[in-house]
Amino acid sequence: MLPKDPVILLSYVNTKLRDRDHDLDVFCSVEDVDKDGLCTRLAEIGYAYDPNRRQFV
């Protein structure tokens, strides 16, 4: 289950991308999360996925 708070969610996702998954598609598959929904939630606090950096910035 993903964190509800968007700032904690951001930290959680970026940590998992750095330490475990290295790719947003892999993260969403492992966590069974809708990629578009996740991106929308983080866009609401001003973050977008950067595939070159493999994190939300």
Side-chain angles (χ1 to χ4, degrees):
M1 176 182 258
L2 295 179
K4 299 292 184 199
D5 181 275
V7 176
I8 295 173
L9 175 63
L10 171 67
S11 177
Y12 177 82
V13 172
N14 277 343
T15 298
K16 293 297 183 184
L17 288 170
R18 181 191 71 220
D19 295 344
R20 183 189 70 192
D21 300 321
H22 307 292
D23 180 85
L24 185 57
D25 290 321
V26 173
F27 172 84
C28 290
S29 176
V30 169
E31 297 286 334
D32 193 28
V33 173
D34 175 61
K35 181 179 174 181
D36 292 333
L38 176 63
C39 290
T40 298
R41 285 182 64 195
L42 293 177
E44 291 172 354
I45 60 167
Y47 287 84
Y49 183 68
D50 181 342
N52 294 323
R53 294 173 70 178
R54 298 183 307 210
Q55 66 180 344
F56 282 88
V57 293

